[in-house]
Amino acid sequence: YLIERMAAQRAHVFTTISEVTANEAEKLLGRRPDIITPNGINVQRFAALHEFQNLHLKYKERIQEFVMGHFFPSYTFDIDRTLYLFISGRYEYRNKGMDLFIESLARLNGRLKELTNPPTVVAFVITKAGTKNVNVAALQNHLMFEELKNICAETQSGVGAKLLNSVARGALPSYEDLLSSDLQTRLKRAMHALKRDRLPPIVTHDMIDDAGDAILRQLRHCHLFNQPGDPVKVVFHPDFITATSPIINLDYDQFVRGCHLGVFPSYYEPWGYTPLECIALGLPTVTTDLSGFGTYVQRHIEQPSEHGIHVLGRAGRSFDSAVNELTVVLYNFVRLTRRERIELRNRAERLSDRFDWMELGKYYRQGHELALTRV
């Protein structure tokens, strides 16, 4: 601390990455930064030109397969009216706003139950926690679903040929014409093997401290148990997403592209790359005015909510007040039409150039020039 304080005091130019850390530096190090140098990204790394909507559809279908394998053995819902939300980051339960996210999900669940035909929301909590291994029941569900998927894939080409032969002769085929008795038996066996008489698990792994884990304790307290009548479902994945995962076979950026909304209601975040990465990938996001990214957005972008970035007010507000605001944001988002969500993703993707190093690098050049002047 003393070295850091002395370095700040004696530097020709003192910089920091955000208003959040600027306020800290003024109080703790005794000097207000000369220039704020916000973190940027290399937008070209995420660029998909005009393909990002197609990539969203491609990876959303992969997430849908995971959701069907996870939930459909127990019960089913309309997968075409299902939205995917997520929160990710280090396991800093309060700092990352995981507590606020889960409480908002519980209240959103209650509000959606009041609707006649509500959409389904699957909310993912992605973080690294202490685990023993992948949950056997969850893994079995996905293996059995994969078997059913393979049988359907094998059947697809054969059914197409039979259908073409039949309609070419001017006759609509019957069910028996398309599916042989042997194939019907295989499908029935696979369907029967997939069915389970238990609720879908809320966590994909066996935890080292299941009873003491903060996220699981709050999910249980909020009664988010993935009941059939709950419009809001939860999947706690206590490991980072990779393509080699036996549960969700996607890299993190692919997973983000397939979701509909990234939610990061941080209580403390010096900058915050996760919402910035969402924007670069064309995904609407939620951040807060207690994160460096959120304060930068407030200062430099007019009406950020119109561009897919909602800055949640947490500074000087109670936890309950912030939960209510986030609940309203989520409720309004899940009630958007498909066309409105596409337009919002388009506006978010167009905003990404504002956070490229080609744009934000100017603050570093200003700091360099100021240092030369003072020397």
Side-chain angles (χ1 to χ4, degrees):
Y1 163 73
L2 293 176
I3 293 174
E4 185 175 331
R5 181 180 175 88
M6 186 58 63
Q9 292 285 346
R10 298 305 174 92
H12 290 102
V13 173
F14 176 40
T15 74
T16 188
I17 63 170
S18 68
E19 285 291 335
V20 172
T21 49
N23 293 333
E24 286 182 352
E26 187 174 15
K27 303 298 183 184
L28 299 176
L29 305 180
R31 181 177 177 181
R32 182 78 184 176
D34 300 294
I35 295 176
I36 290 178
T37 52
N39 278 340
I41 57 173
N42 180 3
V43 171
Q44 293 304 314
R45 174 171 166 257
F46 302 93
L49 298 178
H50 303 295
E51 290 296 313
F52 78 97
Q53 294 286 6
N54 293 334
L55 291 174
H56 166 71
L57 179 61
K58 173 183 176 181
Y59 296 125
K60 184 183 74 171
E61 289 175 352
R62 298 268 292 276
I63 295 174
Q64 284 178 338
E65 289 182 2
F66 162 82
V67 168
M68 288 190 287
H70 192 80
F71 290 94
F72 282 21
S74 301
Y75 53 80
T76 62
F77 45 83
D78 188 352
I79 200 72
D80 291 327
R81 297 186 66 245
T82 301
L83 300 177
Y84 306 115
L85 282 53
F86 79 98
I87 186 172
S88 64
R90 294 186 304 277
Y91 200 154
E92 298 177 13
Y93 172 67
R94 186 162 179 259
N95 280 347
K96 296 296 185 182
M98 295 175 181
D99 54 345
L100 192 145
F101 179 58
I102 294 172
E103 181 62 35
S104 296
L105 291 177
R107 299 187 188 185
L108 175 67
N109 190 47
R111 290 195 63 176
L112 291 179
K113 283 183 178 180
E114 298 173 357
L115 301 180
T116 303
N117 186 26
T120 301
V121 175
V122 177
F124 294 89
V125 180
I126 312 293
T127 188
K128 183 72 173 179
T131 63
K132 301 174 185 176
N133 46 253
V134 177
N135 182 271
V136 174
L139 188 58
Q140 285 178 339
N141 284 357
H142 291 285
L143 290 175
M144 296 308 302
F145 179 81
E146 195 66 24
E147 176 65 19
L148 181 61
K149 177 184 172 184
N150 291 337
I151 295 175
C152 292
E154 292 173 13
T155 307
Q156 187 173 354
S157 59
V159 168
K162 291 178 181 179
L163 178 62
L164 178 60
N165 290 335
S166 181
V167 297
R169 295 194 307 268
L172 289 175
S174 65
Y175 179 76
E176 289 73 18
D177 292 334
L178 296 178
L179 298 179
S180 65
S181 58
D182 179 61
L183 182 56
Q184 291 182 43
T185 301
R186 288 184 66 195
L187 287 170
K188 288 178 181 178
R189 286 176 177 171
M191 291 166 58
H192 180 74
L194 185 65
K195 292 302 178 184
R196 299 287 185 269
D197 58 358
R198 56 175 179 265
L199 292 176
I202 59 175
V203 60
T204 58
H205 292 60
D206 292 331
M207 307 293 290
I208 292 176
D209 184 15
D210 185 272
D213 182 82
I215 291 175
L216 286 178
R217 289 178 64 181
Q218 188 178 3
L219 289 173
R220 291 162 181 155
H221 176 75
C222 292
H223 295 93
L224 291 173
F225 295 125
N226 292 336
Q227 297 280 356
D230 288 338
V232 175
K233 322 290 184 185
V234 179
V235 177
F236 175 26
H237 189 279
D239 198 1
F240 292 131
I241 297 287
T242 66
T244 58
S245 167
I247 299 292
I248 305 178
N249 307 118
L250 290 170
D251 283 325
Y252 177 73
D253 62 330
Q254 296 172 337
F255 172 79
V256 172
R257 283 192 190 276
C259 288
H260 294 94
L261 181 70
V263 186
F264 311 99
S266 300
Y267 183 74
Y268 173 76
E269 193 75 70
W271 177 247
Y273 262 117
T274 42
L276 179 51
E277 289 170 344
C278 284
I279 295 302
L281 292 166
L283 189 76
T285 189
V286 177
T287 183
T288 76
D289 58 1
L290 291 180
S291 74
F293 176 72
T295 56
Y296 181 85
V297 167
Q298 284 183 318
R299 284 175 174 267
H300 295 88
I301 297 176
E302 294 183 7
Q303 297 182 316
S305 294
E306 297 298 317
H307 299 279
I309 307 176
H310 185 89
V311 183
L312 192 69
R314 294 204 65 178
R317 297 178 63 187
S318 68
F319 178 82
D320 188 68
S321 176
V323 169
N324 286 334
E325 182 183 346
L326 180 57
T327 304
V328 171
V329 171
L330 299 182
Y331 182 78
N332 291 337
F333 180 82
V334 301
R335 299 203 67 192
L336 294 176
T337 65
R338 187 187 301 269
R339 171 53 55 187
E340 289 170 334
R341 292 198 303 271
I342 290 174
E343 292 173 354
L344 195 59
R345 284 200 299 274
N346 284 330
R347 291 196 293 269
E349 196 271 342
R350 287 196 294 267
L351 198 65
S352 61
D353 286 341
R354 300 278 295 272
F355 303 104
D356 187 72
W357 277 122
M358 295 297 292
E359 170 69 20
L360 299 184
K362 64 185 179 183
Y363 297 106
Y364 285 82
R365 291 189 291 273
Q366 291 173 8
H368 182 253
E369 292 166 2
L370 180 59
L372 292 177
T373 301
R374 290 179 175 177
V375 170

